């Protein structure tokens, strides 16, 4: 356990703070000031206000958090004694994949781990999907887990019923390795640690949580946990999604964050929302996870399937807006993210007609930009 | 501020290493910067001091005070037998000022000495780690309130006792090292007024601490078994005792060693503490055990030196603990105080012989939910010829129990239950030893005029209790194993329950529970011999 773990626990779980706000503070003291988290907590309230631009509520939160640091030491010791690890975002041991995918905006300030930490640095595949998934989806999950394990890729899953559980069971069946991302504090997972004791001892499972170690399962944590699953994975496979719920919002969130999301192409007659996700920009894949290359005519396909609803144009606009919210892109880049259904020309013509789009010249390239946004630069620390 | 008391427990080189104290080092390193930490102990050698400083790393300042205790009067009394110790104490303890503590080496001796003082009408109390926490707190309280002349205890009593006016501390058994000794006598005379410190020594006494050192660690095979069990599944101490058929003490020793070596750790599963294997753990290092054994042997030899030195005893102890303060030493029987020697005391000698003839071990089985009362044994098994006689009859086809066992048992009965009336004599149905117990029960019945019943039987096979090393397994072995043929007969009765050997008490307690359920108003255990040891050993 790192010696300043108590400080990190204080900073990481400030009530109601977004990751980005916390990360900006970390950037400032670690990257710009080149000081430690202990020094940050030693600052006066005036320095917090002036040097870090914190408001009254934020300063109050920090004062409260600071008063808990001694108690956090006892918690940290207890965690250490029981074999839990705490890894702060400034540590070289922090997951590079997670930082790269979630950036400063969404990366959690600390990771709590128990199990084989080396798994965190392997190539990884997330398999997500509904709690009440169909047999076909579970078989797909099993197959993807099998292929991943064969290629020594780690499977990331969320320890829920359905697809998550199948992914984990299959990984263990195929002698692969898995990261379980918890929707709760890591010390509240006793039954799981008991069930997967031997796999943890043998180094095949890593349990990870980003929440306060003692907080029990909550719906909002389950939702927040999804973005960590996506963030930890190099590839994301969706076995099955309904039109609402964790998988649905998780995938949409992933698309908004420009992740490549591979969705199982449904068979005719399947009642799920996989097609809608594909229309939103996810990429269809076959049973073996291979991308389906042919131009995918969503309208034609949808017409054959009475169970699905045609995508309203509003959604396309939302998708384009979300794709462009961070920086301007070329038509080729937009095509890559928005997925099938468009040709280069049809998309260019479509975008030129939209009043929220402006075209910027960069060298000999046309960049499409959302009006009113400036290009932001990501800090290099992350 | 964080304050650590008894800080010597942090080091394996300390005389009383406790694995939980190791966690303090980790905690200290995790505490916020600038939070002051002070760790104190009265008993750290240079080696312990250095070990703790090394573990904490930089930023530690060591302050050593003088260990000289001028108010102590240190004596060593050489004796030739246990009897001589008992005779001297019997004749002299009331002449010692105030109240104090007598440390004996074993639990059995706390009981024997305490009963000896009872016999002499001297008020004492006995204490050991096997007592429930309520009794322990009560005795500690009584000690502080001077309710008794002294408390007779194993080394379990002491840490955390804050009584300024302990006027004497007597050891009937040589401690394992000068540090143990200094720690234990250090509790005397904290008010600065004179305190008498006596160590009895009979050359035979060294065999007890020697056996602790030699046999202090379980066999390596047991370590490996524990590692394998924990590798397969997270387990608690009780689970491990069941799996490995080991007593609590050796399981704890193994646990401490394996945690120390980074092979296992203790984690919470819900509310239960369980031991788990640390992935990628190193192999068991047995060389460390050998090194510790050598250090402990050297320390015991140092204690032996203390007996025979000609110079100051206080200086000897201070030197051993690394105290460098220069002091004047004139507070022992080598430096100006008159030596105590054993002189013949025919009266007390006779009294002790009478006591020995009338001393019968108590069987502690009482509990709130059962109508069973504490019983009596005619002797200890293994301490007298009683045990040998039982063994001959049970396992070497030696025929019926000899008459002297009947006579001895009757005497124990009269001593303990002479004034009680019983309606029924029931004996414990045997596992293997044929009719020995029932035959003796019949003979007891005819002498005592209590009707004997042959109706207590077993509804399932049990194994001999002696093959189980701990109380949990013994308890499981006899749980719900008994059935009385005509249950209505027990209701409202006062029942004497007879057996040959009493070990952990599981069998008697089980019968007590069963008969309580059937409506017995009193259940009294009577046995020929009680084994020495039981499940929980001090040490």
């Amino acid at each position: 356990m790192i010696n300043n773990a108590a400080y990190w626990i204080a900073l990481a779980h400030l009530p109601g703070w977004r990751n980005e706000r916390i990360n900006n503070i970390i950037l400032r003291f670690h990257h710009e000031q080149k000081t430690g988290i202990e020094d940050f907590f030693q600052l006066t309230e005036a320095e917090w206000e002036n040097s870090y631009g914190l408001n009254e509520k934020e300063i109050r939160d920090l004062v409260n958090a600071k008063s808990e640091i001694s108690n956090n030491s006892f918690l940290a010791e207890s965690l250490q004694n029981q074999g839990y690890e705490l890894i702060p975002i400034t540590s070289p041991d922090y997951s590079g994949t997670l930082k790269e995918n979630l950036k400063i905006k969404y990366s959690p300030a600390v990771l709590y781990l128990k199990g084989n930490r080396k798994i965190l640095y392997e190539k990884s595949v997330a398999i997500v999907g509904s709690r009440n998934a169909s047999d076909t989806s579970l078989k797909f999950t099993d197959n993807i887990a099998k292929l991943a394990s064969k290629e020594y890729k780690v499977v990331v899953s969320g320890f829920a019923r359905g697809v998550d559980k199948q992914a984990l069971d299959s990984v263990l069946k195929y002698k692969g390795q898995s990261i379980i991302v918890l929707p709760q504090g890591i010390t509240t997972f006793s039954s799981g640690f008991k069930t997967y004791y031997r796999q943890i001892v043998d180094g095949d499972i890593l349990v990870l949580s980003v929440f306060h170690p003692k907080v029990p399962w909550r719906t909002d944590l389950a939702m927040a946990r999804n973005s960590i699953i996506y963030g930890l994975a190099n590839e994301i496979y969706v076995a099955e999604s309904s039109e609402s719920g964790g998988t649905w919002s998780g995938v949409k969130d992933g698309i908004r964050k420009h992740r490549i999301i591979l969705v199982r192409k449904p068979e005719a007659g399947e009642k799920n929302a996989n097609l809608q996700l594909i229309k939103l920009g996810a990429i269809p894949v076959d049973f073996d996870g291979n991308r389906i290359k042919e131009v995918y005519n969503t309208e034609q396909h949808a017409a054959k399937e009475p169970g699905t609803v045609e995508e309203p144009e509003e959604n396309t606009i939302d998708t384009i807006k979300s794709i462009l919210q961070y920086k301007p892109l070329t038509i080729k880049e937009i095509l890559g993210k928005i997925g099938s259904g468009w040709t280069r020309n049809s998309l260019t013509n479509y975008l030129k007609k939209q009043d929220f789009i402006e075209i910027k010249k960069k060298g000999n390239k046309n960049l499409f930009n959302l009006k009113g946004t400036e290009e932001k630069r990501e800090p290099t620390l992350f | 501020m964080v304050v650590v008391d008894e800080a010597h427990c942090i080091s394996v080189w300390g005389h009383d290493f406790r694995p939980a104290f190791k966690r303090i080092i980790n905690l200290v390193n995790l505490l916020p910067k600038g939070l002051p930490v002070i760790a104190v102990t009265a008993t750290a050698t240079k080696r312990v001091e250095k070990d703790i400083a090394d573990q904490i790393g930089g930023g530690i300042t060591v302050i050593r005070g003088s260990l000289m205790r001028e108010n102590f009067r240190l004596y060593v009394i050489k004796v030739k037998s246990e009897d001589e110790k008992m005779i001297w104490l019997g004749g002299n303890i009331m002449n010692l000022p105030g109240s104090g503590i007598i440390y004996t080496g074993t639990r059995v001796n706390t009981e024997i000495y305490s009963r000896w003082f009872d016999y002499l009408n001297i008020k004492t109390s006995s204490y050991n780690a096997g007592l429930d926490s309520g009794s322990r707190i009560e005795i500690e309280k009584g000690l502080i309130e001077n309710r008794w002349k002294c408390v007779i205890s194993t080394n379990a009593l002491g840490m955390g006792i804050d009584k300024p006016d302990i006027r004497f501390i007597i050891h009937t058994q040589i401690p394992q090292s000068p540090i143990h000794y200094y720690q234990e006598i250090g509790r005397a005379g904290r008010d600065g007024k004179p305190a008498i410190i006596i160590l009895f020594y009979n050359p035979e006494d060294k065999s007890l601490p020697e056996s602790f050192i030699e046999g202090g660690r379980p066999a390596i095979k047991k370590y490996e078994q524990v590692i394998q069990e924990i590798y397969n599944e997270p387990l608690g101490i009780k689970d491990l005792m069941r799996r490995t058929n080991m007593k609590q003490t050796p399981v704890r020793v193994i646990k401490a060693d394996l945690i120390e070596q980074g092979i296992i750790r203790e984690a919470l599963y819900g509310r239960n503490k369980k031991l788990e294997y640390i992935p990628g753990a190193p192999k068991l290092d047995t060389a460390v055990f050998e090194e510790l054994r050598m250090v402990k042997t050297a320390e015991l030899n140092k204690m032996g030196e203390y007996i025979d030195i000609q110079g100051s005893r206080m200086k000897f102890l201070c030197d051993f603990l690394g105290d460098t303060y220069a002091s004047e030493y004139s507070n022992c029987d080598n430096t100006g105080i008159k030596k105590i020697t054993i002189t013949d005391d025919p009266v007390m000698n006779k009294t002790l012989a009478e006591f020995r003839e009338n001393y019968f071990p108590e069987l502690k089985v009482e509990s709130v939910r059962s109508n069973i009362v504490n019983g009596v044994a005619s002797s200890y098994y293994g301490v007298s010829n009683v045990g040998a006689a039982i063994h001959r009859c049970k396992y070497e086809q030696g025929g019926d129990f000899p008459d002297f066992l009947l006579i001895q048992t009757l005497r124990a009965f009269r001593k303990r239950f002479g004034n009680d009336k019983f309606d029924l004599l029931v004996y414990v149905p045997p596992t293997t030893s044929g009719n020995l117990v029932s035959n003796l029960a019949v003979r007891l019945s005819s002498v005592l005029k209590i009707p004997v019943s042959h109706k207590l039987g077993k509804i399932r096979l049990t194994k001999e209790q002696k093959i189980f090393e701990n109380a949990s397994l013994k308890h499981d072995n006899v749980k719900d194993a008994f059935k009385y043929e005509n249950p209505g007969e027990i209701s409202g009765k006062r029942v004497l329950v007879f057996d040959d050997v009493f070990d952990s008490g599981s069998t008697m307690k089980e019968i007590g529970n069963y008969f309580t359920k059937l409506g017995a108003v009193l259940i009294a255990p009577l046995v020929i011999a009680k084994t020495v040891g039981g499940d929980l050993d001090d040490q």
Side-chain angles (χ1 to χ4, degrees):
Chain A
M1 183 74 49
I2 49 166
N3 282 351
N4 52 17
Y7 294 87
W8 282 105
I9 295 171
L11 185 62
H13 309 295
L14 288 163
W17 286 46
R18 290 177 180 280
N19 286 320
E20 188 174 19
R21 189 82 188 98
I22 294 170
N23 286 335
N24 274 323
I25 289 176
I26 298 169
L27 263 186
R28 180 125 175 84
F29 71 70
H30 180 81
H31 195 59
E32 294 169 21
Q33 315 263 8
K34 309 272 183 224
T35 57
I37 188 167
E38 299 97 323
D39 304 301
F40 169 72
F41 273 102
Q42 291 308 320
L43 297 178
T44 61
E45 291 179 31
E47 283 169 313
W48 279 340
E49 189 183 346
N50 299 329
S51 177
Y52 285 79
L54 300 184
N55 63 34
E56 208 179 308
K57 189 245 171 204
E58 290 170 329
I59 290 171
R60 209 166 50 239
D61 287 346
L62 273 173
V63 169
N64 288 338
K66 187 177 173 179
S67 72
E68 284 299 311
I69 290 176
S70 293
N71 288 339
N72 292 348
S73 304
F74 284 84
L75 173 61
E77 190 282 325
S78 168
L79 294 175
Q80 174 180 17
N81 192 51
Q82 299 183 63
Y84 299 105
E85 291 180 77
L86 178 156
I87 300 182
I89 194 162
T90 53
S91 164
D93 296 331
Y94 192 91
S95 162
T97 312
L98 192 62
K99 263 197 269 190
E100 200 180 301
N101 287 330
L102 298 189
K103 306 276 186 320
I104 188 167
K105 196 169 166 81
Y106 300 108
S107 293
V110 300
L111 307 178
Y112 298 93
L113 309 176
K114 184 161 181 172
N116 183 3
R117 171 143 60 83
K118 289 189 189 124
I119 295 180
L120 203 52
Y121 317 119
E122 303 287 346
K123 283 243 170 296
S124 54
V125 170
I127 311 174
V128 300
S130 162
R131 285 161 193 267
N132 302 307
S134 67
D135 255 13
T136 316
S137 298
L138 295 180
K139 278 183 188 144
F140 171 82
T141 304
D142 181 73
N143 194 44
I144 298 297
K146 181 179 173 180
L147 295 170
S149 299
K150 224 176 182 172
E151 293 167 33
Y152 302 105
K153 289 175 183 169
V154 169
V155 172
V156 188
S157 73
F159 207 69
R161 266 188 300 125
V163 170
D164 283 13
K165 187 68 175 25
Q166 181 65 58
L168 180 59
D169 290 348
S170 295
V171 168
L172 298 176
K173 183 167 76 183
Y174 300 119
K175 311 258 177 274
Q177 293 182 315
S178 188
I179 301 176
I180 296 174
V181 183
L182 294 181
Q184 69 210 79
I186 199 156
T187 66
T188 69
F189 190 55
S190 296
S191 61
F193 282 121
K194 203 167 175 189
T195 308
Y196 295 101
Y197 179 76
R198 268 305 288 274
Q199 287 82 3
I200 291 172
V201 164
D202 289 339
D204 293 332
I205 284 185
L206 173 69
V207 179
L208 181 148
S209 164
V210 300
F211 307 113
H212 189 282
K214 287 187 169 174
V215 64
W217 187 95
R218 281 200 325 242
T219 321
D220 59 325
L221 301 188
M223 297 302 243
R225 172 267 317 256
N226 288 335
S227 80
I228 305 298
I229 296 175
Y230 288 63
L232 282 168
N234 300 108
E235 303 163 42
I236 302 161
Y237 289 91
V238 181
E240 177 177 335
S241 175
S242 51
E243 274 181 82
S244 62
T247 308
W248 174 257
S249 54
V251 172
K252 286 215 312 189
D253 183 55
I255 293 172
R256 197 168 61 240
K257 290 170 185 164
H258 312 301
R259 299 300 308 278
I260 292 173
I261 297 186
L262 308 166
V263 175
R264 179 179 65 81
K265 182 189 163 187
E267 309 283 325
E270 273 191 41
K271 285 197 173 167
N272 55 47
N274 286 17
L275 273 186
Q276 280 96 313
L277 289 177
I278 291 167
K279 283 189 204 160
L280 284 177
I283 295 166
V285 293
D286 63 17
F287 189 73
D288 289 328
N290 296 317
R291 296 184 194 205
I292 295 171
K293 293 238 171 63
E294 79 262 29
V295 173
Y296 192 66
N297 190 329
T298 49
E299 272 172 19
Q300 230 179 41
H301 201 88
K304 285 185 207 155
E305 298 195 24
T308 56
V309 185
E310 203 178 330
E311 199 73 28
E313 198 186 357
E314 197 57 32
N315 270 0
T316 313
I317 292 169
D318 280 352
T319 308
I320 290 167
K321 278 182 176 172
S322 75
I323 288 172
L324 292 176
Q325 67 175 325
Y326 294 101
K327 57 179 180 179
L329 298 170
T330 64
I331 195 71
K332 199 178 163 192
E333 286 169 327
I334 297 171
L335 258 180
K337 287 182 190 294
I338 201 170
S340 49
W342 296 94
T343 62
R344 206 182 167 116
N345 279 336
S346 66
L347 185 61
T348 309
N349 289 333
Y350 177 80
L351 289 177
K352 279 179 177 168
K353 276 188 245 161
Q354 306 303 321
D355 52 9
F356 59 90
I357 293 287
E358 60 185 6
I359 298 173
K360 287 181 166 185
K361 287 268 178 198
K362 190 174 181 184
N364 58 355
K365 283 182 191 163
N366 279 333
L367 290 177
F368 293 84
N369 189 38
L370 275 184
K371 275 183 188 163
T373 57
E374 285 304 309
E375 191 180 347
K376 287 182 212 154
R377 284 195 63 81
E378 293 285 343
T380 51
L381 172 69
F382 289 84
Chain B
M1 177 188 276
V2 175
V3 182
V4 184
D5 196 8
E6 310 286 3
H8 57 274
C9 296
I10 292 172
S11 172
V12 281
W13 304 107
H15 64 283
D16 191 19
F17 167 60
R18 299 189 177 193
F21 273 66
K22 282 283 280 200
R23 295 178 56 186
I24 292 171
I25 298 284
N26 298 331
L27 176 65
V28 166
N29 289 325
L30 286 162
L31 284 170
K33 268 188 182 171
L35 188 75
V37 179
I38 180 164
V40 294
T41 172
T43 39
T45 56
K46 281 280 180 199
R47 181 166 197 172
V48 169
E49 175 194 313
K50 187 177 177 304
D51 183 29
I52 294 172
D54 287 349
Q55 287 188 58
I56 289 191
I60 185 173
T61 308
V62 179
I63 304 165
R64 254 187 187 277
S66 168
L67 294 169
M68 167 67 180
R69 301 284 298 272
E70 281 178 58
N71 58 329
F72 281 9
R73 305 287 174 262
L74 298 164
Y75 299 90
V76 171
I77 307 180
K78 291 193 182 178
V79 296
K80 295 187 196 72
S81 67
E82 202 65 19
D83 280 7
E84 286 191 350
K85 299 174 193 170
M86 293 172 85
I87 290 166
W88 190 90
L89 283 170
N92 292 283
I93 193 155
M94 290 311 287
N95 301 331
L96 298 177
S99 61
I101 301 173
I102 297 180
Y103 284 109
T104 64
T106 62
R107 282 189 193 187
V108 168
N109 273 342
T110 63
E111 196 180 318
I112 293 174
Y113 274 87
S114 151
R115 297 284 289 278
W116 167 230
F117 289 122
D118 286 351
Y119 195 72
L120 299 170
N121 287 319
I122 295 168
K123 285 183 84 177
T124 64
S125 179
S126 72
Y127 184 101
N128 67 59
L131 298 174
D132 60 86
S133 65
S135 311
R136 291 174 71 159
I137 290 165
E138 195 53 29
I139 295 171
E140 286 165 14
K141 210 170 139 224
L143 172 67
I144 287 164
E145 293 167 358
N146 296 319
R147 257 185 253 164
W148 309 288
K149 183 66 189 173
C150 67
V151 172
I152 301 149
S153 178
T154 59
N155 58 8
L157 174 73
M159 240 193 234
I161 292 287
D162 188 17
K163 176 175 167 65
D165 58 345
I166 294 177
R167 291 272 73 83
F168 61 88
I169 288 184
I170 297 168
H171 284 73
T172 69
Q173 165 65 51
I174 185 170
Q176 277 184 66
S177 78
I179 318 178
H180 284 87
Y181 193 51
Y182 186 89
Q183 168 89 5
E184 281 159 24
I185 64 177
R187 293 157 193 152
R190 288 190 175 168
D191 55 8
K193 293 176 189 157
I196 292 172
I197 311 294
I198 297 173
L199 171 61
F200 281 104
Y201 182 69
N202 169 9
E204 285 173 16
D205 292 348
K206 251 182 131 178
S207 62
L208 183 73
E210 270 165 4
S211 73
F212 282 150
I213 294 169
E214 289 304 323
R217 286 206 151 67
I220 301 303
K221 222 173 67 192
K222 288 287 184 189
Y223 279 83
E224 278 156 4
Q225 193 186 353
V226 168
I227 293 172
Q228 190 55 48
E229 293 286 353
I230 296 176
Y231 180 77
N232 289 330
E233 203 182 334
L235 295 169
I237 286 279
K238 284 242 161 68
D239 303 327
L240 268 177
M241 286 165 64
R242 284 168 192 269
R243 299 282 177 101
T244 59
N245 186 20
M246 279 161 84
K247 290 184 186 179
Q248 189 164 4
T249 305
V251 170
R252 282 189 174 160
V253 169
I254 293 177
K255 170 191 158 187
D257 285 333
L258 295 183
I259 288 177
E260 170 66 17
Q261 293 198 15
I263 296 171
I264 63 169
R265 65 185 161 222
E266 193 164 52
L268 278 171
Y269 284 73
R271 283 184 192 161
N272 301 321
K273 281 184 184 168
K274 290 191 189 292
L275 298 167
E276 54 180 39
Y277 185 83
I278 299 176
K283 282 215 161 2
L284 179 69
D285 176 8
T286 54
V288 183
F289 302 158
E290 182 56 20
E291 195 183 350
L292 274 167
R293 198 184 61 81
M294 278 160 58
V295 169
K296 284 185 188 296
T297 303
E299 285 178 351
L300 176 60
N301 291 338
K302 265 302 207 203
M303 200 58 222
E305 273 180 48
Y306 175 85
I307 306 292
D308 289 319
I309 50 162
Q310 301 299 312
S312 163
R313 299 198 189 278
M314 194 74 231
K315 182 172 181 343
F316 181 89
L317 294 175
C318 291
D319 284 350
F320 186 84
L321 281 154
D323 185 3
T324 50
Y325 285 78
S327 306
E328 281 288 312
Y329 301 97
S330 57
N331 60 350
C332 75
D333 56 2
N334 282 338
T335 54
I337 297 175
K338 192 172 177 297
K339 282 190 191 297
I340 300 173
T341 45
I342 298 288
T343 49
D344 203 23
D345 184 342
V347 178
M348 197 52 83
N349 214 345
K350 191 162 164 280
T351 314
L352 181 64
E354 282 166 17
F355 165 74
R356 289 241 188 246
E357 275 181 23
N358 286 293
Y359 173 69
F360 303 106
E362 189 178 30
L363 310 175
K364 289 196 174 153
V365 288
E366 280 175 11
S367 83
V368 193
R369 271 165 299 177
S370 171
N371 291 336
I372 198 167
V373 295
N374 288 343
V376 67
S378 82
S379 172
Y380 281 111
Y381 193 98
V383 172
S384 62
N385 57 349
V386 169
I390 293 173
H391 194 270
R392 215 167 32 245
C393 300
K394 277 183 93 163
Y395 304 108
E396 299 162 40
Q397 284 83 43
D400 245 339
F401 287 135
D403 286 350
F404 88 90
L405 290 185
L406 174 65
I407 293 163
Q408 184 85 357
T409 306
L410 283 167
R411 288 178 54 204
F413 173 83
R414 294 223 162 86
K415 174 89 179 160
R416 168 98 193 150
F417 298 117
N419 298 324
D420 292 290
K421 291 269 175 284
F422 290 96
D423 306 311
L424 205 57
L425 192 161
V426 174
Y427 57 88
V428 179
T431 310
T432 53
S433 47
N435 296 326
L436 286 170
V437 173
S438 63
N439 289 349
L440 196 69
V442 169
R443 291 159 76 193
L444 280 169
S445 156
S446 69
V447 179
L448 295 173
K449 309 275 183 273
I450 303 170
V452 65
S453 157
H454 301 280
K455 291 178 188 161
L456 183 63
K458 285 182 187 165
I459 47 175
R460 61 178 172 82
L461 277 181
T462 57
K463 293 180 175 149
E464 283 193 276
Q465 287 288 62
K466 67 172 184 177
I467 66 172
F468 299 104
E469 288 282 334
N470 63 62
S472 313
L473 289 176
K474 286 177 201 273
H475 174 77
D476 289 356
N477 186 39
V478 294
K479 179 100 181 76
D480 299 325
F482 296 101
K483 189 167 175 63
Y484 196 79
E485 240 173 72
N486 186 1
E489 207 172 292
I490 296 296
S491 179
K493 294 274 165 59
R494 304 166 62 85
V495 187
L496 183 66
V497 182
F498 173 70
D499 200 358
D500 51 1
V501 179
F502 177 98
D503 184 34
S504 69
S506 295
T507 302
M508 279 297 179
K509 285 178 195 162
E510 177 63 24
I511 292 170
N513 291 341
Y514 177 55
F515 280 4
T516 303
K517 249 186 262 166
L518 296 182
V521 291
L522 181 110
I523 302 116
L526 172 70
V527 302
I528 309 173
K530 177 190 178 186
T531 58
V532 173
D535 181 35
L536 271 152
D537 298 328
D538 288 9
Q539 209 326 232

